[in-house]
Amino acid sequence: VAGVVQMYGVPVAGNRLLHYLFPIPLMAGVAVWGLARWLAVRRRSLGPALAFGLVLVVLGGFLFLAWKAGRVQRAWTEAKGVRQIAAADRYVQGFAGDRYVVYLLDTGTGRHHETVGRWWAVVQSTIRPDELERTRFYYGRPAGYLDGFPASALRGGTLVPPEAASRALAVVIDRYNHRGFQEAEALPGARVVAQGVAVLNGPAPPAPLPLPAAVEANTRPIGLALAIVLILFTFLVVGSGWALALLPPDPLVRVGLAPGLGAASMILAGLGWDRVGLPFRGWASLGPVAIASVTGWALALIVAARSVVGVQSGPSASPPGGG
């Protein structure tokens, strides 16, 4: 369904639902739940132990597959690239004015297109949010960009408007376009504004800009554990109202599925938040969380109130000996 909907332009990431086979672990979870319940009921003495062992085996299998698939992947964000992009964004903030900004990304021989797409995602996640609307990227090196060919290589949302194309600021990052950076250093009018950062048609800063320190994540075991607990707790709080409103009155089912409902409702609220043009900066980023949580709990209160009214308005018992 998601794939069909996305064919008509609705951004529901249907291709990822299919590519990553999300239905497989969901169906596996349903199968484990059903089989574990059957074991617990039919094998009363050993049933609970067998059911627990079944859960451990299935979870262990999925964890092994995830580890095996992920251990060969390279990190998306690299300190060198992030620092150079941050320095370029600082230059844009001070010297670009209202001009469009185009990052030139390399399509070197044998370079996979997903690599360049990953680089563009890193650019988008590093620059300031208010710059996203006027930032684009270009596949290729400076000479091709300055010659205006091929025009189809200019990507990133929409093209730069024709009336603004001649004034667009072109940025070359050494980490993501090494050959292009070397070429830019020799072009007349190009300027190296920071270590590994060149602009093709922008003013020179009074002094080269320093590279900002790379932000490092807390990947120590205690840091990762606390992050996981915080994320699950947030999902649980947001999804508890939805679980009370939508799920059968089984504490295990409600608690187990509440985090998933919380994540789903936050994703939908965030999508709507973005579609109406609301920002994700600062405290505004908590808007989708608040909407998903309040909506779920409001629905739970409505369902609870209706249940009470239904009980109170039920058929009265006949009086003794009545007729």
Side-chain angles (χ1 to χ4, degrees):
V1 171
V4 172
V5 170
Q6 183 155 331
M7 289 174 58
Y8 291 91
V10 180
V12 294
N15 61 321
R16 288 181 174 267
L17 291 173
L18 299 176
H19 180 69
Y20 291 107
L21 298 176
F22 285 164
I24 301 301
L26 292 176
M27 295 174 66
V30 174
V32 169
W33 172 73
L35 185 55
R37 186 177 64 170
W38 181 84
L39 287 172
V41 173
R42 296 299 181 90
R43 302 290 186 269
R44 297 186 181 276
S45 57
L46 297 177
L50 292 174
F52 183 71
L54 172 67
V55 172
L56 290 182
V57 169
V58 175
L59 283 178
F62 275 110
L63 287 173
F64 173 76
L65 291 175
W67 170 81
K68 186 177 180 181
R71 66 188 181 91
V72 297
Q73 294 181 354
R74 298 181 59 184
W76 269 60
T77 54
E78 304 160 280
K80 183 178 180 181
V82 170
R83 295 179 67 192
Q84 291 175 354
I85 296 168
D89 188 55
R90 185 175 297 178
Y91 173 86
V92 168
Q93 184 177 7
F95 299 96
D98 61 350
R99 303 165 65 183
Y100 277 78
V101 181
V102 180
Y103 282 81
L104 276 59
L105 305 179
D106 183 28
T107 57
T109 304
R111 186 85 69 194
H112 198 281
H113 70 278
E114 289 186 357
T115 299
V116 181
R118 172 173 61 87
W119 289 347
W120 171 234
V122 176
V123 172
Q124 291 178 294
S125 63
T126 303
I127 64 177
R128 290 167 295 124
D130 55 350
E131 293 291 342
L132 288 172
E133 289 296 325
R134 59 190 182 108
T135 302
R136 307 288 188 265
F137 72 90
Y138 173 85
Y139 285 146
R141 289 154 62 182
Y145 174 79
L146 294 176
D147 290 341
F149 178 87
S152 62
L154 192 58
R155 312 280 183 174
T158 57
L159 300 179
V160 176
E163 65 276 9
S166 61
R167 297 180 57 247
L169 179 70
V171 179
V172 186
I173 300 296
D174 178 52
R175 176 63 191 90
Y176 294 158
N177 198 340
H178 180 66
R179 295 185 303 170
F181 180 78
Q182 292 178 325
E183 181 181 306
E185 289 182 300
L187 289 175
R191 306 179 189 280
V192 177
V193 300
Q195 181 181 353
V197 181
V199 296
L200 302 185
N201 46 3
L209 301 175
L211 292 182
V215 178
E216 295 184 1
N218 181 4
T219 57
R220 293 176 298 175
I222 184 63
L224 294 176
L226 291 176
I228 292 173
V229 170
L230 178 60
I231 293 172
L232 287 178
F233 178 76
T234 303
F235 287 165
L236 178 64
V237 171
V238 174
S240 294
W242 294 98
L244 291 173
L246 303 177
L247 299 178
D250 184 331
L252 182 61
V253 172
R254 285 178 169 177
V255 173
L257 295 182
L261 292 174
S265 60
M266 286 170 59
I267 291 172
L268 291 175
L271 178 62
W273 187 271
D274 176 70
R275 298 293 284 183
V276 299
L278 295 174
F280 285 92
R281 298 188 297 274
W283 289 102
S285 61
L286 296 179
V289 181
I291 292 174
S293 181
V294 171
T295 304
W297 281 104
L299 182 61
L301 291 175
I302 293 173
V303 172
R306 288 183 174 179
S307 299
V308 172
V309 172
V311 171
Q312 293 177 350
S313 61
S316 301
S318 300

mmCIF file of all heavy atoms in Angstrom, residues 25 28 58 62 67 88 94-95 117 124 133 138 156 159 182 212 219 239 242 248 263 281 284-285 308 320-321:
data_model
loop_
_atom_site.group_PDB
_atom_site.id
_atom_site.type_symbol
_atom_site.label_atom_id
_atom_site.label_comp_id
_atom_site.label_asym_id
_atom_site.label_seq_id
_atom_site.Cartn_x
_atom_site.Cartn_y
_atom_site.Cartn_z
ATOM 1 N N PRO A 25 10.102 -8.921 9.802
ATOM 2 C CA PRO A 25 10.190 -8.984 11.267
ATOM 3 C C PRO A 25 8.843 -8.775 11.951
ATOM 4 O O PRO A 25 8.601 -9.340 13.027
ATOM 5 C CB PRO A 25 11.162 -7.845 11.622
ATOM 6 C CG PRO A 25 11.180 -6.942 10.442
ATOM 7 C CD PRO A 25 10.948 -7.820 9.264
ATOM 8 N N ALA A 28 7.225 -12.095 11.732
ATOM 9 C CA ALA A 28 7.949 -13.006 12.626
ATOM 10 C C ALA A 28 7.539 -12.763 14.076
ATOM 11 O O ALA A 28 7.396 -13.705 14.864
ATOM 12 C CB ALA A 28 9.453 -12.816 12.456
ATOM 13 N N VAL A 58 14.792 -16.481 18.449
ATOM 14 C CA VAL A 58 14.396 -15.613 17.342
ATOM 15 C C VAL A 58 15.070 -14.253 17.449
ATOM 16 O O VAL A 58 15.600 -13.714 16.464
ATOM 17 C CB VAL A 58 12.862 -15.469 17.301
ATOM 18 C CG1 VAL A 58 12.456 -14.460 16.225
ATOM 19 C CG2 VAL A 58 12.227 -16.819 17.025
ATOM 20 N N PHE A 62 17.777 -12.562 14.707
ATOM 21 C CA PHE A 62 17.653 -11.253 14.069
ATOM 22 C C PHE A 62 18.835 -10.351 14.435
ATOM 23 O O PHE A 62 19.321 -9.577 13.597
ATOM 24 C CB PHE A 62 16.342 -10.589 14.454
ATOM 25 C CG PHE A 62 15.187 -11.003 13.585
ATOM 26 C CD1 PHE A 62 14.175 -11.808 14.076
ATOM 27 C CD2 PHE A 62 15.121 -10.588 12.266
ATOM 28 C CE1 PHE A 62 13.114 -12.196 13.274
ATOM 29 C CE2 PHE A 62 14.066 -10.974 11.448
ATOM 30 C CZ PHE A 62 13.058 -11.784 11.953
ATOM 31 N N TRP A 67 23.818 -7.611 12.882
ATOM 32 C CA TRP A 67 25.258 -7.396 13.086
ATOM 33 C C TRP A 67 26.038 -7.784 11.832
ATOM 34 O O TRP A 67 26.944 -7.056 11.408
ATOM 35 C CB TRP A 67 25.736 -8.222 14.272
ATOM 36 C CG TRP A 67 27.222 -8.253 14.394
ATOM 37 C CD1 TRP A 67 28.030 -7.299 14.946
ATOM 38 C CD2 TRP A 67 28.098 -9.297 13.935
ATOM 39 N NE1 TRP A 67 29.344 -7.671 14.865
ATOM 40 C CE2 TRP A 67 29.421 -8.894 14.250
ATOM 41 C CE3 TRP A 67 27.899 -10.516 13.301
ATOM 42 C CZ2 TRP A 67 30.529 -9.687 13.941
ATOM 43 C CZ3 TRP A 67 28.994 -11.295 13.002
ATOM 44 C CH2 TRP A 67 30.279 -10.882 13.327
ATOM 45 N N ALA A 88 32.342 25.705 5.609
ATOM 46 C CA ALA A 88 31.691 26.285 4.436
ATOM 47 C C ALA A 88 30.386 26.966 4.823
ATOM 48 O O ALA A 88 30.060 28.057 4.333
ATOM 49 C CB ALA A 88 31.441 25.205 3.388
ATOM 50 N N GLY A 94 28.273 34.290 6.545
ATOM 51 C CA GLY A 94 28.865 35.612 6.603
ATOM 52 C C GLY A 94 28.998 36.324 5.279
ATOM 53 O O GLY A 94 29.041 37.567 5.243
ATOM 54 N N PHE A 95 29.046 35.577 4.157
ATOM 55 C CA PHE A 95 29.404 36.215 2.888
ATOM 56 C C PHE A 95 28.462 35.913 1.731
ATOM 57 O O PHE A 95 28.571 36.545 0.681
ATOM 58 C CB PHE A 95 30.825 35.796 2.481
ATOM 59 C CG PHE A 95 31.876 36.191 3.478
ATOM 60 C CD1 PHE A 95 32.312 35.289 4.440
ATOM 61 C CD2 PHE A 95 32.418 37.463 3.471
ATOM 62 C CE1 PHE A 95 33.271 35.642 5.355
ATOM 63 C CE2 PHE A 95 33.388 37.828 4.389
ATOM 64 C CZ PHE A 95 33.815 36.919 5.341
ATOM 65 N N GLY A 117 24.987 10.301 -2.884
ATOM 66 C CA GLY A 117 23.758 10.586 -2.155
ATOM 67 C C GLY A 117 23.984 10.663 -0.660
ATOM 68 O O GLY A 117 23.392 11.498 0.034
ATOM 69 N N GLN A 124 23.295 18.149 4.076
ATOM 70 C CA GLN A 124 22.011 18.640 4.560
ATOM 71 C C GLN A 124 21.922 18.601 6.081
ATOM 72 O O GLN A 124 21.313 19.479 6.698
ATOM 73 C CB GLN A 124 20.879 17.814 3.954
ATOM 74 C CG GLN A 124 20.683 18.024 2.458
ATOM 75 C CD GLN A 124 19.579 17.147 1.917
ATOM 76 O OE1 GLN A 124 19.695 15.920 1.898
ATOM 77 N NE2 GLN A 124 18.495 17.750 1.490
ATOM 78 N N GLU A 133 16.623 25.484 2.151
ATOM 79 C CA GLU A 133 15.756 25.856 1.036
ATOM 80 C C GLU A 133 16.532 26.400 -0.155
ATOM 81 O O GLU A 133 16.067 26.294 -1.298
ATOM 82 C CB GLU A 133 14.721 26.883 1.501
ATOM 83 C CG GLU A 133 13.661 26.313 2.432
ATOM 84 C CD GLU A 133 12.804 25.259 1.755
ATOM 85 O OE1 GLU A 133 12.537 25.414 0.537
ATOM 86 O OE2 GLU A 133 12.415 24.285 2.419
ATOM 87 N N TYR A 138 25.656 19.512 -7.048
ATOM 88 C CA TYR A 138 25.971 19.294 -8.462
ATOM 89 C C TYR A 138 26.917 18.116 -8.559
ATOM 90 O O TYR A 138 27.907 18.030 -7.830
ATOM 91 C CB TYR A 138 26.622 20.558 -9.028
ATOM 92 C CG TYR A 138 27.160 20.413 -10.440
ATOM 93 C CD1 TYR A 138 26.334 20.602 -11.540
ATOM 94 C CD2 TYR A 138 28.497 20.109 -10.674
ATOM 95 C CE1 TYR A 138 26.820 20.484 -12.836
ATOM 96 C CE2 TYR A 138 29.004 19.981 -11.959
ATOM 97 C CZ TYR A 138 28.160 20.167 -13.034
ATOM 98 O OH TYR A 138 28.647 20.044 -14.302
ATOM 99 N N GLY A 156 19.118 17.995 -6.103
ATOM 100 C CA GLY A 156 18.846 18.464 -4.766
ATOM 101 C C GLY A 156 17.532 19.212 -4.689
ATOM 102 O O GLY A 156 17.499 20.430 -4.597
ATOM 103 N N LEU A 159 15.804 22.794 -9.189
ATOM 104 C CA LEU A 159 16.957 23.485 -9.729
ATOM 105 C C LEU A 159 17.022 24.902 -9.183
ATOM 106 O O LEU A 159 16.043 25.450 -8.688
ATOM 107 C CB LEU A 159 16.874 23.516 -11.249
ATOM 108 C CG LEU A 159 16.829 22.164 -11.968
ATOM 109 C CD1 LEU A 159 16.717 22.385 -13.464
ATOM 110 C CD2 LEU A 159 18.050 21.334 -11.643
ATOM 111 N N GLN A 182 41.305 20.300 -6.030
ATOM 112 C CA GLN A 182 42.608 20.603 -6.628
ATOM 113 C C GLN A 182 42.438 21.468 -7.874
ATOM 114 O O GLN A 182 43.225 22.390 -8.113
ATOM 115 C CB GLN A 182 43.334 19.303 -6.973
ATOM 116 C CG GLN A 182 43.762 18.487 -5.754
ATOM 117 C CD GLN A 182 44.428 17.187 -6.146
ATOM 118 O OE1 GLN A 182 44.060 16.559 -7.144
ATOM 119 N NE2 GLN A 182 45.428 16.777 -5.375
ATOM 120 N N PRO A 212 35.780 24.068 12.407
ATOM 121 C CA PRO A 212 35.197 23.808 13.728
ATOM 122 C C PRO A 212 35.565 22.415 14.212
ATOM 123 O O PRO A 212 35.843 21.507 13.422
ATOM 124 C CB PRO A 212 33.686 23.937 13.491
ATOM 125 C CG PRO A 212 33.553 24.654 12.184
ATOM 126 C CD PRO A 212 34.760 24.288 11.379
ATOM 127 N N THR A 219 29.669 7.273 22.532
ATOM 128 C CA THR A 219 29.459 5.877 22.157
ATOM 129 C C THR A 219 29.968 4.902 23.212
ATOM 130 O O THR A 219 30.099 3.708 22.943
ATOM 131 C CB THR A 219 30.169 5.587 20.821
ATOM 132 O OG1 THR A 219 31.568 5.916 20.948
ATOM 133 C CG2 THR A 219 29.558 6.402 19.694
ATOM 134 N N GLY A 239 3.257 6.689 23.373
ATOM 135 C CA GLY A 239 2.377 5.652 22.846
ATOM 136 C C GLY A 239 1.425 5.046 23.847
ATOM 137 O O GLY A 239 0.531 4.280 23.462
ATOM 138 N N TRP A 242 -2.228 5.882 23.098
ATOM 139 C CA TRP A 242 -2.697 5.138 21.935
ATOM 140 C C TRP A 242 -2.938 3.671 22.281
ATOM 141 O O TRP A 242 -3.896 3.057 21.790
ATOM 142 C CB TRP A 242 -1.672 5.255 20.809
ATOM 143 C CG TRP A 242 -1.524 6.639 20.279
ATOM 144 C CD1 TRP A 242 -0.559 7.544 20.617
ATOM 145 C CD2 TRP A 242 -2.367 7.283 19.327
ATOM 146 N NE1 TRP A 242 -0.742 8.722 19.934
ATOM 147 C CE2 TRP A 242 -1.849 8.586 19.127
ATOM 148 C CE3 TRP A 242 -3.496 6.898 18.613
ATOM 149 C CZ2 TRP A 242 -2.437 9.497 18.256
ATOM 150 C CZ3 TRP A 242 -4.079 7.799 17.745
ATOM 151 C CH2 TRP A 242 -3.561 9.072 17.571
ATOM 152 N N PRO A 248 -6.454 -4.252 23.128
ATOM 153 C CA PRO A 248 -7.269 -4.966 24.122
ATOM 154 C C PRO A 248 -6.686 -4.793 25.521
ATOM 155 O O PRO A 248 -5.490 -4.524 25.684
ATOM 156 C CB PRO A 248 -7.199 -6.426 23.644
ATOM 157 C CG PRO A 248 -5.996 -6.494 22.771
ATOM 158 C CD PRO A 248 -5.861 -5.158 22.143
ATOM 159 N N ALA A 263 6.280 5.584 18.430
ATOM 160 C CA ALA A 263 7.145 5.923 17.293
ATOM 161 C C ALA A 263 6.312 6.236 16.058
ATOM 162 O O ALA A 263 6.568 7.204 15.338
ATOM 163 C CB ALA A 263 8.115 4.774 17.018
ATOM 164 N N ARG A 281 13.551 23.623 14.711
ATOM 165 C CA ARG A 281 14.673 24.202 15.453
ATOM 166 C C ARG A 281 14.280 24.460 16.897
ATOM 167 O O ARG A 281 13.167 24.918 17.184
ATOM 168 C CB ARG A 281 15.121 25.517 14.795
ATOM 169 C CG ARG A 281 15.611 25.374 13.383
ATOM 170 C CD ARG A 281 16.217 26.669 12.880
ATOM 171 N NE ARG A 281 15.221 27.738 12.829
ATOM 172 C CZ ARG A 281 14.409 27.958 11.801
ATOM 173 N NH1 ARG A 281 14.463 27.164 10.739
ATOM 174 N NH2 ARG A 281 13.537 28.940 11.828
ATOM 175 N N ALA A 284 10.826 24.182 19.151
ATOM 176 C CA ALA A 284 9.794 23.835 18.169
ATOM 177 C C ALA A 284 9.870 22.376 17.759
ATOM 178 O O ALA A 284 8.869 21.796 17.329
ATOM 179 C CB ALA A 284 9.917 24.736 16.945
ATOM 180 N N SER A 285 11.039 21.765 17.886
ATOM 181 C CA SER A 285 11.186 20.364 17.489
ATOM 182 C C SER A 285 10.382 19.427 18.386
ATOM 183 O O SER A 285 10.154 18.268 18.023
ATOM 184 C CB SER A 285 12.664 19.965 17.518
ATOM 185 O OG SER A 285 13.202 20.113 18.824
ATOM 186 N N VAL A 308 -17.434 3.951 30.271
ATOM 187 C CA VAL A 308 -18.166 4.183 31.523
ATOM 188 C C VAL A 308 -19.630 4.470 31.232
ATOM 189 O O VAL A 308 -20.536 3.937 31.875
ATOM 190 C CB VAL A 308 -17.525 5.350 32.298
ATOM 191 C CG1 VAL A 308 -18.388 5.724 33.502
ATOM 192 C CG2 VAL A 308 -16.129 4.970 32.760
ATOM 193 N N PRO A 320 -37.103 -8.423 41.264
ATOM 194 C CA PRO A 320 -37.487 -9.779 41.693
ATOM 195 C C PRO A 320 -38.972 -10.009 41.451
ATOM 196 O O PRO A 320 -39.820 -9.212 41.849
ATOM 197 C CB PRO A 320 -37.153 -9.792 43.179
ATOM 198 C CG PRO A 320 -36.109 -8.702 43.340
ATOM 199 C CD PRO A 320 -36.472 -7.678 42.335
ATOM 200 N N GLY A 321 -39.267 -11.127 40.821
ATOM 201 C CA GLY A 321 -40.664 -11.480 40.582
ATOM 202 C C GLY A 321 -41.327 -10.580 39.581
ATOM 203 O O GLY A 321 -42.563 -10.599 39.456
#
